[in-house]
Amino acid sequence: MSETVLHEVADGVATITLNRPEVLNAQNAELMDALRDSMLAVESDPAVRAVLLTGAGRGFSAGADLAARGSGGTTDPGETLRRRYHPLIECMRRMPKPIVTAVNGVAAGAGMSLALAGDIVLAGESATFLQAFSKIGLVPDAGSTYFLPRLVGDVRARALAILADRISAAEAERFGMVWKVYPDERLIDEARSLAGHLAKMPTRAYGLIKVALNSSSDNSLSDQLELEAVLQSEAGQGEDFREGVAAFLEKRAPRFTGR
Ligand code: LHQ
């Protein structure tokens, strides 16, 4: 087990913590392999109904470790991306349970891509976001050119990618990249509380919501309407749907099992 990523499961929540605080959780091969393995493990673990991803220390992640072999220009970064980043980002997007990312400090380069791959992005008020890539002569990767224009629109995505300005959590919230910003000292408690809440909710429906939203911007209206119907058929057969309706009619809180 690598110490570069901490992984614990309690009460239906998997908490994954990037753990190289001395370099702002910069992503070397060891960290990326451990992170991918953690995500793949929670994807198929029925005991996990929500995921919380955060960073140890004062950073979320400073992106690829520029001092590590393979990131600093010694090998083809495209190969690193295909081998280490793409399986991770795709796993996060298809994960049939919600992922909360708690951005506790700087999220730069592929660290920003990672933060934006979550379903609900929270940030501490001193967190910052930076498309650091062009500052070192690279292009945004690990999903940034996919997520950013969809989140903030083309005008802002282009300026963020080209200028590589470091923006504040408040600005990121205003741009629509972040769901909520909390005082730094409250961030982790708020994130834990949200993940804990999500872990008691209708997990299967959440997974299907992700399928619908992941397809939305590439589908025609007709295709999306049909997809909604297919997904609703599936949700409609779920135990949680029966429980949700019964609880409503009986005027009590639902007891969802995630099935
Ligand atoms: C770091 C890093 C870092 C190593 C801070 N590496 N040590 C993907 C896959 C494959 C290949 C290539 O690329 C990619 C995509 C990418 O992610 S490219 C983008 C890579 N990231 C960056 O270019 C960001 C570089 N870092 C910075 O610009 C600054 O450190 C930021 C703005 C993140 C934070 O600034 P400060 O808060 O002033 O902190 P600092 O610069 O003092 O950093 C603290 C320590 O962390 C420091 O070490 P030291 O021994 O001096 O205390 C840094 O050297 C180290 N560190 N980022 N990416």
Side-chain angles (χ1 to χ4, degrees):
M1 278 286 278
S2 169
E3 287 297 307
T4 59
V5 171
L6 308 178
H7 179 132
E8 62 174 46
V9 177
D11 301 326
V13 177
T15 302
I16 300 174
T17 307
L18 310 175
N19 189 37
R20 299 184 72 214
E22 66 285 0
V23 287
L24 305 175
N25 304 314
Q27 302 158 352
N28 62 4
E30 185 183 342
L31 179 143
M32 288 306 295
D33 285 346
L35 180 57
R36 181 201 54 210
D37 290 351
S38 278
M39 281 295 173
L40 289 169
V42 300
E43 182 183 18
S44 58
D45 184 348
V48 174
R49 291 173 60 189
V51 182
L52 169 56
L53 174 64
T54 191
R58 72 175 177 91
F60 176 75
S61 175
D65 187 332
L66 299 178
R69 263 190 98 238
S71 295
T74 50
T75 56
D76 176 3
E79 278 311 307
T80 305
L81 287 165
R82 287 188 196 97
R83 194 169 62 233
R84 298 217 150 83
Y85 287 76
H86 298 184
L88 169 70
I89 300 295
E90 286 177 342
C91 173
M92 290 173 70
R93 289 313 268 188
R94 73 168 181 259
M95 173 96 53
K97 28 203 146 190
I99 301 175
V100 176
T101 48
V103 184
N104 53 300
V106 64
M112 179 167 166
S113 309
L114 185 61
L116 299 183
D119 297 303
I120 299 188
V121 184
L122 307 180
E125 62 193 355
S126 72
T128 52
F129 294 80
L130 167 70
Q131 288 279 288
F133 311 91
S134 68
K135 281 190 187 291
I136 55 168
L138 288 180
V139 297
D141 61 22
S144 266
T145 61
Y146 184 90
F147 299 128
L148 258 190
R150 285 166 168 79
L151 291 169
V152 305
D154 192 63
V155 169
R156 283 168 173 160
R158 275 170 204 264
L160 287 167
I162 291 170
L163 301 174
D165 285 346
R166 195 170 176 176
I167 65 164
S168 67
E171 220 166 352
E173 185 182 30
R174 190 164 61 81
F175 284 180
M177 277 187 251
V178 165
W179 170 237
K180 279 184 183 164
V181 177
Y182 292 104
D184 292 335
E185 63 281 6
R186 272 180 49 206
L187 174 69
I188 195 64
D189 287 344
E190 295 286 353
R192 284 203 179 102
S193 157
L194 176 61
H197 164 73
L198 293 172
K200 294 183 176 58
M201 298 303 283
T203 314
R204 187 171 170 188
Y206 284 158
L208 299 174
I209 288 170
K210 288 181 67 163
V211 173
L213 293 176
N214 287 348
S215 304
S216 172
S217 53
D218 299 325
N219 262 349
S220 67
L221 173 61
S222 301
D223 289 344
Q224 193 66 15
L225 286 170
E226 179 52 26
L227 177 63
E228 289 174 357
V230 168
L231 298 173
Q232 203 67 297
S233 289
E234 197 175 330
Q237 290 165 22
E239 287 174 26
D240 283 340
F241 173 54
R242 281 198 297 278
E243 167 62 9
V245 173
F248 175 77
L249 296 175
E250 292 162 22
K251 299 191 188 300
R252 61 171 174 80
R255 290 180 294 270
F256 293 121
T257 58
R259 291 190 291 270

